[in-house]
Amino acid sequence: MKGNSVDQRVPDTQRQWGADRRSAPHPLVPPAVSEGRIARGRLAIVLTITVWACYLIGTVIQQFIAGRASTARLAIEAIVYMIVVTGLAASATAYLITRIGYFYRSRAHHRAPRIVLDNYLQGATPSVTVIVPSYQEDERVIRTTLLSAALQEYPGLRVVLLIDDPQRPRTRAARDLLLAARALPGAIEAELAIPYGRVRTAYERFEHSLDERDEHASTVEDMRDLAAEYRFAAGWLYGLGRRQEMVDHTDAFFVDHILNALADDLGTIAEALEGGAEEKAALPVERLIQLHRRLLAVFDASVTSFERKRYVSLSHEPNKAMNLNSYIGLMGGGYQEVNTPLGVALVPAGPGQAELTIPDPDYVLTLDADSVLLPEYALRLVHLMEQGAHERDAVAQTPYSAFPGSATRIERISGATTDIQHIVHQGMTHYDATFWVGANAVLRKKALDDIREIAYEGDWEIRRYIQDRTVIEDTESTIDLGVHGWTLYNYPERMAYSATPPDFGSLCIQRQRWANGGLLILSRLKDQFRARAARGKKNRFGELFLRVNYMASIFWSSVCLVVMLVYPFNADLLNPILLLVSVPYFLMMSADLKACGYRRLDVLRVYGFNLILLPVNLSGSFASILQLLTGEKSAFKRTPKVRDRTTSATTYLIAPLALIAFCAWTVVRDIQLHQWDNLVFAGLNLVLATYAMAAYVGPGNILVDLFTHLRNWLYRPVHPKKRAREAGGAKQPAPATHAEGRALAPNGAIGDWASVLHYRSDRGSSGLVAVRPAAGRSTRGAQTPSSRSNSFEEFTFFTVFQPIFELRSGEAVGYEALTRFADGTRPERGLAAAQAQGVHIDLDAALIRAAMASANALPDGAWLALNISSDLLRRPRELEPLLAESARPLVLEVAEADRADLDRLPADVRIAVGDAGAGYDTLARMESLKPAFLKLGRASLAGIETEGARRASIRSLVDFAREHGCTVIAEGIESAQQRDALVACGVPLGQGFYLGRPVPVERALADATSR
């Protein structure tokens, strides 16, 4: 069963010459490696080490025994040059060794058959939580990642998006990203609920039919029914692929090789079931149960989100490690939100009081927001870690590969280095030198608990599982796990893919971060080796060599290469035999690139690519040294993931250009001096570095970025200082009246505010409203829109609804509309900000209109309670047309009002007022205003469960209200005891967190339907 051609559509993206022509991913299981390839790899290692040793021996004899190094300068040059050659040879040898380890592992690997995995699914499986750290990611990118996680063939999967965006976005673009990220988990979970509900019902029907049969045996009809469910699931996945937004090659990969591939697999099973049914053959009941459970596992996932920056009790350190730590530290607990003077805090809750409960899983799967997993990733890795031979594995992972089909040259060549790194990491596992690669991994929660560290920020406990001392947090955590006796394992298949930066600017940020931290962690290797020795285990030189190379080779290779490029060494040190040190390395890498689907000559492009990244790598390495000297952590810079190009730093542009100029000068000088050996090296560097700058950065981009930096350096806008007030105070201009505002407003708007920008979108952001002041509107004070610096440019909010219940019957009779501002601002602060601008009346009207529009989906017959300001209440000409738009009964809750204001309201609009806090004042207010409802606040309910005097006071208030045609509503009911006491006092209506929280309209409607 294959998808239609529309499923295979290619995104309409402009492709560069030299872009990646691959469309298919790497083979899931590496192809068998021939004995000849292994033999050539061994020969390359022997040749490299032999030539290096011969060169060192020959140089020592020539320079020091024969006396060529006759001066101190020449002696130092000889020593330095031998160190440089040794450093470069060590890095080359490390690569050659790891690729041999990769060959051994890929040849010995045998994947678990599918029947074994299906049998594993039939029993009790460990719990798994997938956590996806995200920071200002594009909605499409997050959606792809979450779907690849949710569609894992693993039952009961819990997927959590860790949104780390600023809670108060400063730009509309940042606000849109935040709101989209918040809405996405619910939308995905709702999508998955459709196929899951159907296959779950089919499985229950199958089990029920087995119970009713005399013999516990399957039938041909059971196979046909199961085939129909598999066909439905496959069709649903094809449909999901057709709905995918196609922007670039990552979308094409997700649709073709995850959604459609999974659909093809399910379709093949459906065909097999139908074929068996046609031949009147019935599978055993146990096998049908396995197939049912496999189908359930595909869609059995909950998807939610968490935002650590909402809470002052969690770390706000700007890095991915602390984003992960904040959520992992909450696992296994129940919490409630508590308002403190500094903000909202999450504190442990007592039994039955938790507002947020986070399960404690057996395994945690971490996944970067720009990565995707093949559907069997979680199942195969967890199944592996549950085997006795892997019980001490703390981390199981498949080092990620690059998406095929990239549209830019730099993304293709960067992807080539990523695919080469996959070989390196797999090979390091053969020598027990595995490092955790943080883009994706299955982590054993028990191991994380072993390496947990506890610190305090103020009075708040901060738990660290993943170290954030450096910006390569996964590398240091690898050492922590080793110290505690845990091991790591790279599963020898390609089951994870991650995006590579599409432009030079974003690539520089990523690679600078990768180069930062290795030198700091290097000193901790001794802790791991000492701990291993204390446990009576041997430390192998091969592991030490590969770990040191992994953490420090970026530094020493970059320094050695720069020294060779820049310093004019003695010509006697240049020996043609040196070519044989590097030739095996480049030949073997070219063969590996060819095996990965690239071209052999790409090895030269990779070399040129690394030449122009020398300043980036050195910058990261020197940042490590600076942190080592000062003790101050380097800033964590996230790799930008935007569709537009990221501007490159000036240093990263000028330094490669200077390198090219220096190589050109060296070529001219070598020709003049007839230094032909040196000419070959300088000429090669000149050609490859020039090609790399032209192909991967681009002359136009170089000029634009340099001009941008020059302009920003020369032109620094000066903000005008605020004029000091004159003695006695200058008289402020009178604010524009509301009538004047309406004269300036565009027709059809509420005052001078725009109407709804985004309402009930397909993405699920229902009820989202944005309003802004009209251009030219004068505001309170002398400031104009162009001169305001701290005022709101735009209010973005959504409406939630809290049900009001008839306490005896438990029936929801009405809903109170409450406003939530999208940037996290408290409603009262948002309204105060609007009042400071003189636009609070218009904002209040917009809030009411949005609430009435959202309330159209509420159950019929329920009335809607709206909070209204006294200023808008006193403008009946504007209020009456607004209220006339409502299709359901309205109750206006007023804080301050006169009887004359209420008399001007339409006859069908009822009024609710709050209690004044003292007995007589409340009774007098009720008698004068004659409201339809009186709302008892939390202060009036305090102690009602235990204080008889309080209950007597409320009884008398209820009786007085009934005599005056008023109904009492109790607010803030937080326990069953409060509710029962209020019922005993005769209070008819109530609302509060115990009865129902404020929720969006979809949730309110779902709650009402489920009652």
Side-chain angles (χ1 to χ4, degrees):
M1 180 177 181
K2 300 294 182 182
N4 299 327
S5 59
V6 69
D7 297 335
Q8 315 297 329
R9 63 196 186 281
V10 177
D12 185 18
T13 304
Q14 184 177 1
R15 299 177 62 81
Q16 288 184 341
W17 174 83
D20 193 2
R21 298 178 181 177
R22 299 176 304 146
S23 58
H26 300 287
L28 190 64
V29 179
V33 180
S34 66
E35 287 294 339
R37 192 176 178 194
I38 293 177
R40 288 190 294 273
R42 292 170 178 164
L43 179 62
I45 296 174
V46 173
L47 184 61
T48 300
I49 295 176
T50 302
V51 171
W52 164 75
C54 290
Y55 175 78
L56 286 189
I57 294 172
T59 301
V60 169
I61 294 173
Q62 179 191 57
Q63 297 294 318
F64 298 102
I65 298 178
R68 291 285 185 91
S70 57
T71 65
R73 183 179 70 83
L74 292 176
I76 293 173
E77 280 188 13
I79 293 172
V80 169
Y81 199 77
M82 286 190 292
I83 292 175
V84 167
V85 171
T86 300
L88 295 176
S91 295
T93 304
Y95 173 73
L96 296 174
I97 291 174
T98 54
R99 68 190 297 271
I100 291 294
Y102 166 72
F103 293 159
Y104 291 155
R105 296 193 72 233
S106 60
R107 189 169 60 173
H109 174 60
H110 299 284
R111 11 176 35 220
R114 184 68 220 197
I115 186 66
V116 173
L117 299 179
D118 288 343
N119 185 59
Y120 178 69
L121 287 176
Q122 191 172 0
T125 53
S127 56
V128 177
T129 295
V130 184
I131 49 179
V132 182
S134 164
Y135 178 81
Q136 294 190 333
E137 306 281 358
D138 185 80
E139 177 192 14
R140 176 185 57 84
V141 174
I142 303 176
R143 175 179 169 81
T144 301
T145 301
L146 291 181
L147 279 172
S148 81
L151 291 172
Q152 290 293 299
E153 297 183 42
Y154 198 91
L157 208 63
R158 190 168 185 269
V159 183
V160 184
L161 177 65
L162 304 183
I163 304 173
D164 215 24
D165 297 21
Q167 292 293 296
R168 297 187 179 182
R170 296 183 179 181
T171 65
R172 290 182 206 157
R175 177 210 62 204
D176 292 342
L177 290 175
L178 174 61
L179 295 179
R182 286 173 173 171
L184 200 52
I188 292 176
E189 189 173 54
E191 280 187 290
L192 294 176
I194 297 172
Y196 177 74
R198 170 163 172 164
V199 298
R200 181 71 188 179
T201 301
Y203 180 45
E204 292 172 351
R205 186 168 58 244
F206 172 66
E207 286 188 318
H208 182 68
S209 67
L210 288 177
D211 294 338
E212 293 181 342
R213 298 173 190 174
D214 295 334
E215 296 183 1
H216 194 72
S218 60
T219 66
V220 171
E221 288 304 316
D222 292 334
M223 294 184 62
R224 289 197 177 99
D225 291 343
L226 182 55
E229 298 308 316
Y230 268 82
R231 285 208 176 275
F232 163 77
W236 187 87
L237 288 168
Y238 287 134
L240 185 63
R242 285 190 290 270
R243 297 192 299 273
Q244 174 75 13
E245 181 185 3
M246 304 295 284
V247 174
D248 58 25
H249 62 294
T250 63
D251 301 306
F253 179 91
F254 174 67
V255 172
D256 293 341
H257 303 295
I258 293 182
L259 296 182
N260 288 356
L262 179 58
D264 290 345
D265 190 21
L266 299 182
T268 301
I269 296 174
E271 291 175 358
L273 290 169
E274 291 169 347
E278 289 297 324
E279 297 178 6
K280 306 301 181 182
L283 290 175
V285 170
E286 291 74 15
R287 184 56 179 153
L288 287 181
I289 291 176
Q290 288 177 355
L291 292 175
H292 270 288
R293 291 194 174 182
R294 179 187 178 183
L295 198 57
L296 276 171
V298 173
F299 303 109
D300 184 11
S302 64
V303 189
T304 184
S305 64
F306 181 80
E307 300 177 55
R308 62 165 173 148
K309 290 179 179 176
R310 290 183 55 198
Y311 307 108
V312 296
S313 53
L314 300 178
S315 172
H316 289 192
E317 285 284 333
N319 57 64
K320 183 178 75 173
M322 291 312 299
N323 191 16
L324 295 170
N325 286 333
S326 296
Y327 190 78
I328 296 173
L330 297 174
M331 287 179 170
Y335 308 90
Q336 58 184 169
E337 297 182 357
V338 175
N339 288 316
T340 72
L342 299 178
V344 179
L346 272 183
V347 299
Q353 296 181 343
E355 300 173 5
L356 173 67
T357 301
I358 299 179
D360 192 19
D362 298 304
Y363 294 95
V364 176
L365 197 166
T366 60
L367 179 64
D368 279 1
D370 60 349
S371 303
V372 298
L373 305 175
L374 299 188
E376 290 185 348
Y377 180 98
L379 177 58
R380 287 194 175 274
L381 268 62
V382 172
H383 174 261
L384 173 89
M385 297 181 77
E386 285 294 291
Q387 308 306 308
H390 295 274
E391 62 180 359
R392 291 302 296 174
D393 285 349
V395 178
Q397 61 189 356
T398 64
Y400 62 87
S401 303
F403 286 105
S406 56
T408 63
R409 289 183 292 268
I410 190 171
E411 196 169 1
R412 185 180 79 86
I413 213 66
S414 177
T417 62
T418 297
D419 290 334
I420 290 295
Q421 281 297 309
H422 176 92
I423 295 175
V424 170
H425 282 286
Q426 292 287 9
M428 289 173 70
T429 303
H430 181 73
Y431 305 97
D432 294 329
T434 312
F435 279 89
W436 173 19
V437 182
N440 64 90
V442 175
L443 315 175
R444 196 184 298 271
K445 181 58 166 51
K446 181 181 177 181
L448 291 178
D449 291 335
D450 268 3
I451 63 173
R452 179 185 63 193
E453 295 181 0
I454 297 178
Y456 290 89
E457 292 182 4
D459 294 328
W460 307 115
E461 180 183 276
I462 303 299
R463 299 183 179 187
R464 279 181 172 80
Y465 302 83
I466 304 166
Q467 290 298 325
D468 68 328
R469 191 166 63 98
T470 69
V471 294
I472 49 173
E473 66 284 338
D474 42 10
T475 303
E476 184 166 10
S477 298
T478 299
I479 305 300
D480 290 334
L481 291 167
V483 168
H484 286 79
W486 292 99
T487 56
L488 296 88
Y489 187 82
N490 278 319
Y491 195 70
E493 296 182 9
R494 291 187 184 265
M495 301 181 67
Y497 287 79
S498 188
T500 51
D503 62 83
F504 187 68
S506 56
L507 181 77
C508 288
I509 294 174
Q510 181 195 69
R511 295 304 174 95
Q512 197 265 357
R513 187 176 72 245
W514 287 2
N516 185 354
L519 296 178
L520 292 171
I521 304 170
L522 189 62
S523 61
R524 295 208 55 210
L525 267 181
K526 66 178 184 300
D527 298 332
Q528 179 178 347
F529 282 84
R530 286 174 181 172
R532 179 179 293 174
R535 291 191 294 269
K537 296 184 178 180
K538 289 185 177 181
N539 291 304
R540 297 194 299 174
F541 173 77
E543 177 188 356
L544 174 63
F545 172 63
L546 293 179
R547 289 194 183 278
V548 171
N549 177 78
Y550 181 81
M551 289 187 284
S553 63
I554 291 180
F555 171 70
W556 81 49
S557 297
S558 300
V559 171
C560 291
L561 192 53
V562 168
V563 170
M564 290 191 70
L565 288 171
V566 173
Y567 188 82
F569 283 96
N570 177 11
D572 290 337
L573 296 173
L574 302 178
N575 192 317
I577 197 175
L578 277 177
L579 291 176
L580 293 179
V581 176
S582 58
V583 166
Y585 167 79
F586 285 111
L587 287 178
M588 294 302 102
M589 181 177 286
S590 67
D592 293 339
L593 287 169
K594 180 66 176 178
C596 291
Y598 300 92
R599 308 182 188 102
R600 291 185 183 274
L601 284 179
D602 282 339
V603 69
L604 298 178
R605 296 184 177 94
V606 169
Y607 179 77
F609 176 73
N610 288 327
L611 278 178
I612 65 174
L613 285 178
L614 276 176
V616 178
N617 293 331
L618 288 173
S619 172
S621 299
F622 290 147
S624 292
I625 297 173
L626 185 62
Q627 179 175 339
L628 190 63
L629 295 175
T630 64
E632 295 184 5
K633 288 195 297 187
S634 301
F636 183 86
K637 298 178 181 179
R638 293 177 171 91
T639 305
K641 301 180 182 69
V642 296
R643 299 184 188 179
D644 298 327
R645 192 174 62 83
T646 302
T647 303
S648 306
T650 308
T651 305
Y652 301 152
L653 295 173
I654 293 179
L657 294 176
L659 175 64
I660 292 172
F662 181 80
C663 288
W665 176 80
T666 304
V667 166
V668 173
R669 189 194 63 172
D670 289 340
I671 293 174
Q672 293 173 344
L673 300 177
H674 303 289
Q675 296 178 348
W676 309 119
D677 293 339
N678 198 44
L679 175 63
V680 173
F681 181 64
L684 183 66
N685 289 322
L686 172 62
V687 172
L688 294 181
T690 303
Y691 169 82
M693 285 297 287
Y696 305 140
V697 187
N701 292 336
I702 295 173
L703 293 175
V704 169
D705 289 355
L706 289 177
F707 174 77
T708 300
H709 291 304
L710 179 63
R711 182 194 61 190
N712 293 339
W713 180 63
L714 293 176
Y715 174 70
R716 297 179 182 272
V718 178
H719 299 284
K721 297 181 179 179
K722 295 182 179 180
R723 290 183 296 177
R725 293 186 178 181
E726 298 177 1
K731 184 177 180 180
Q732 300 290 339
T737 64
H738 191 63
E740 292 169 342
R742 287 183 62 84
L744 294 171
N747 293 332
I750 306 174
D752 59 347
W753 294 81
S755 59
V756 174
L757 292 180
H758 186 60
Y759 179 70
R760 285 192 183 281
S761 74
D762 294 337
R763 297 291 183 191
S765 302
S766 59
L768 178 65
V769 179
V771 289
R772 72 180 69 172
R777 165 94 181 215
S778 61
T779 59
R780 188 183 299 268
Q783 292 178 326
T784 65
S786 61
S787 66
R788 285 199 309 266
S789 58
N790 297 319
S791 62
F792 277 57
E793 291 183 356
E794 186 175 88
F795 295 87
T796 307
F797 58 87
F798 56 95
T799 306
V800 294
F801 297 90
Q802 185 174 34
I804 300 172
F805 292 93
E806 205 284 320
L807 293 180
R808 288 189 179 276
S809 65
E811 179 184 357
V813 295
Y815 291 84
E816 181 180 1
L818 302 169
T819 295
R820 298 290 184 263
F821 285 95
D823 62 358
T825 303
R826 288 182 169 278
E828 56 269 23
R829 291 185 62 183
L831 293 169
Q835 186 170 14
Q837 298 180 28
V839 293
H840 59 293
I841 297 172
D842 300 318
L843 178 59
D844 199 17
L847 299 180
I848 291 175
R849 172 168 283 176
M852 292 190 302
S854 298
N856 288 334
L858 292 175
D860 294 336
W863 40 267
L864 177 65
L866 300 168
N867 292 279
I868 185 172
S869 67
S870 56
D871 291 329
L872 182 58
L873 184 66
R874 296 188 180 103
R875 287 173 169 79
R877 290 185 179 179
E878 299 161 25
L879 182 58
E880 289 180 17
L882 184 62
L883 300 180
E885 298 178 14
S886 176
R888 64 179 60 250
L890 294 179
V891 175
L892 298 186
E893 297 188 16
V894 296
E896 298 178 4
D898 297 328
R899 184 64 222 176
D901 299 330
L902 304 182
D903 289 339
R904 291 194 290 265
L905 291 174
D908 57 345
V909 175
R910 293 175 290 178
I911 295 297
V913 298
D915 64 282
Y920 173 79
D921 292 336
T922 297
L923 299 179
R925 192 177 189 202
M926 196 187 318
E927 190 172 37
S928 63
L929 297 180
K930 296 181 174 54
F933 297 97
L934 175 70
K935 306 199 75 171
L936 293 179
R938 286 184 175 85
S940 299
L941 304 186
I944 190 174
E945 310 96 312
T946 57
E947 298 176 8
R950 178 76 65 181
R951 291 195 293 271
S953 173
I954 291 178
R955 285 194 196 97
S956 63
L957 182 63
V958 171
D959 293 338
F960 185 84
R962 188 180 299 113
E963 293 174 3
H964 288 77
C966 181
T967 302
V968 176
I969 303 175
E971 289 186 299
I973 300 175
E974 297 181 351
S975 66
Q977 294 79 6
Q978 280 188 335
R979 179 201 58 193
D980 295 342
L982 288 166
V983 171
C985 293
V987 176
L989 304 178
Q991 65 186 109
F993 278 14
Y994 173 74
L995 302 176
R997 291 177 173 274
V999 293
V1001 64
E1002 297 89 348
R1003 177 72 179 276
L1005 183 60
D1007 291 345
T1009 305
S1010 63
R1011 288 191 185 97

